[in-house]
Amino acid sequence: MTVTTTSASRAAQILSRPTTINGLTVPNRIAMAPMTRMFSPGGIPGEDVLSYYARRAAAGVGLIVTEGTYVGHDSAGESDRVPRFHGEEQLAGWAKVAEAVHAGGGTIVPQLWHIGMVRKPGRPPYADAPPVGPSGLRIGAEEATGKAMTQSDLDDVIGAFAQAAADAERIGFDGVEIHGAHGYLVDQFLWEGTNRRTDAYGGDPVARTKFAAEIVAAVREKVSASFPVIFRYSQWKQEAYDARLAETPEELDAILTPLAAAGVDAFHASTRRYWIPEFDGSDLNLAGWTKKLTGKPAITVGSVGLDGDFIGAFMGEGSTVKGFDDLLDRLERDEFDMVAVGRALLQDPEWAAKVLGDRVDELKPYDAASLKTLS
């Protein structure tokens, strides 16, 4: 344990401050990062899913970003146990989750997800649906193994995201997050490694943002003006950890500006370790650069509270509890606005309560071997 009494008290003070995203007031600076769990048979979140989120809201998490939920497009996913954000039973289940989170004092947004070319043919929930992407390419492949999306395909997916956002507002959620990270569909358009299109949706970095920006604009049109729209993005990809959308702040600005103009209210900048500077010559991390370039609220994420990145952890490498001083310094100087916590909060549902209550001496390191017993 490297967290001192002084930094513990400081963490409680700084992280407990409210913040706003568009019309939403979040009671503190702690967000729950989205983490896929596959505990929703038929894509329906049940009582165990409700309990999982409600427990963390009641323990002080200010903003819960749900695990990725498939939008209403047949090619969106590849598991019948990942929750869906379409269908009467599925949305009824999610409405109960939102109600329970609110009862615990938290706020909640669904992460809207389409996996694109990550999908393997023949998988559920719609076995006949082909993998689709900007060019039909999986990460690292030179030959197409899926369908390059037509304009009709693009319109269908854009409409699916927009409808999911409208449904989220209708059933009581506080906003939505669009999953544009980690090598899934939206990110496949953003990254030149998977986007080889020669039409208006491919080419330079700005052209490659067109699909994402159209999703954001369609979502913005379907929801009320004060309803928050968050966009999650990353440099790294699920199968290419060293991939980068932007090598310089100028290139990043070219990507983020169209998204902000389309209606993004906050950006969730996904990194493997939040304390790593994003570009040479500056200590700013990816979230810090995002806020500096767009002026929008930014959420940082990446091994918060732990000393190792999640990839190593899931391969069995241990983690110890990391101190908060650097994180708090960055929050105090407004480098970013919120901190998303993943593994540490998965390990310990009371993580936020312990940090906000000046009880960091009770925090536990992440142990992947114990995941099966966590809820």
Side-chain angles (χ1 to χ4, degrees):
M1 171 73 70
T2 56
V3 182
T4 66
T5 301
T6 301
S7 64
S9 178
R10 187 168 165 241
Q13 180 182 17
I14 293 172
L15 290 169
S16 65
R17 297 175 300 161
T19 190
T20 59
I21 302 175
N22 196 342
L24 175 67
T25 297
V26 182
N28 59 53
R29 302 304 177 103
I30 299 174
M32 181 175 181
M35 292 173 283
T36 299
R37 299 176 70 240
M38 301 179 72
F39 285 2
S40 299
I44 303 167
E47 288 298 317
D48 57 337
V49 175
L50 182 154
S51 175
Y52 168 75
Y53 289 116
R55 184 179 181 188
R56 287 157 176 81
V61 174
L63 174 66
I64 287 175
V65 184
T66 74
E67 61 208 283
T69 67
Y70 298 151
V71 297
H73 185 262
D74 286 358
S75 297
E78 62 172 2
S79 170
D80 199 38
R81 294 184 60 83
V82 168
R84 305 200 282 272
F85 215 84
H86 61 97
E88 185 176 348
E89 289 184 271
Q90 289 81 2
L91 293 176
W94 279 120
K96 293 177 182 177
V97 172
E99 183 179 8
V101 166
H102 293 153
T107 61
I108 183 168
V109 301
Q111 186 185 69
L112 306 180
W113 191 24
H114 193 304
I115 71 172
M117 284 301 302
V118 174
R119 172 176 166 78
K120 298 178 178 64
R123 298 290 296 272
Y126 304 104
D128 293 337
V132 300
S135 304
L137 292 171
R138 286 184 63 92
I139 291 175
E142 292 298 325
E143 298 293 330
T145 57
K147 179 183 179 184
M149 296 172 73
T150 65
Q151 186 64 54
S152 177
D153 295 325
L154 297 171
D155 292 343
D156 286 346
V157 171
I158 291 167
F161 273 92
Q163 185 59 54
D167 287 334
E169 184 171 28
R170 176 178 59 83
I171 65 176
F173 277 76
D174 299 297
V176 293
E177 176 170 284
I178 297 166
H179 196 340
H182 306 162
Y184 296 113
L185 179 64
V186 176
D187 195 20
Q188 289 161 20
F189 275 85
L190 295 176
W191 189 44
E192 63 181 351
T194 43
N195 186 345
R196 310 288 177 82
R197 297 175 76 99
T198 57
D199 63 1
Y201 293 91
D204 64 30
V206 174
R208 296 197 302 271
T209 68
K210 180 176 172 62
F211 179 58
E214 288 183 353
I215 289 175
V216 172
V219 164
R220 183 81 274 161
E221 185 177 344
K222 277 276 195 175
V223 299
S224 59
S226 61
F227 192 69
V229 177
I230 303 169
F231 189 90
R232 194 180 212 216
Y233 81 102
S234 66
Q235 299 262 40
W236 66 275
K237 316 304 169 201
Q238 189 184 65
E239 297 171 348
Y241 297 138
D242 296 329
R244 295 177 69 80
L245 296 178
E247 295 290 349
T248 66
E250 291 75 20
E251 291 179 0
L252 185 62
D253 188 33
I255 294 165
L256 297 180
T257 295
L259 300 176
V264 171
D265 295 305
F267 287 93
H268 190 173
S270 178
T271 56
R272 293 169 62 188
R273 303 177 183 89
Y274 78 85
W275 55 89
I276 303 297
E278 192 57 41
F279 301 114
D280 292 340
S282 169
D283 290 334
L284 292 178
N285 71 4
L286 187 61
W289 274 109
T290 299
K291 183 174 183 178
K292 179 177 181 177
L293 293 170
T294 67
K296 300 287 186 179
I299 304 168
T300 197
V301 67
S303 304
V304 172
L306 301 173
D307 69 344
D309 70 66
F310 68 90
I311 294 162
F314 283 120
M315 293 176 66
E317 298 173 12
S319 290
T320 59
V321 177
K322 178 180 170 64
F324 294 105
D325 286 332
D326 176 58
L327 180 70
L328 300 176
D329 289 344
R330 292 167 183 265
L331 275 168
E332 276 198 315
R333 61 177 179 255
D334 292 325
E335 181 175 334
F336 38 73
D337 300 273
M338 294 194 71
V339 176
V341 183
R343 285 175 294 138
L345 194 53
L346 185 63
Q347 177 78 36
D348 186 354
E350 299 292 318
W351 190 92
K354 291 174 181 177
V355 173
L356 296 173
D358 202 355
R359 297 158 44 209
V360 296
D361 58 314
E362 300 176 25
L363 296 176
K364 302 173 184 178
Y366 177 79
D367 177 14
S370 68
L371 274 179
K372 293 182 179 179
T373 65
L374 299 177
S375 62

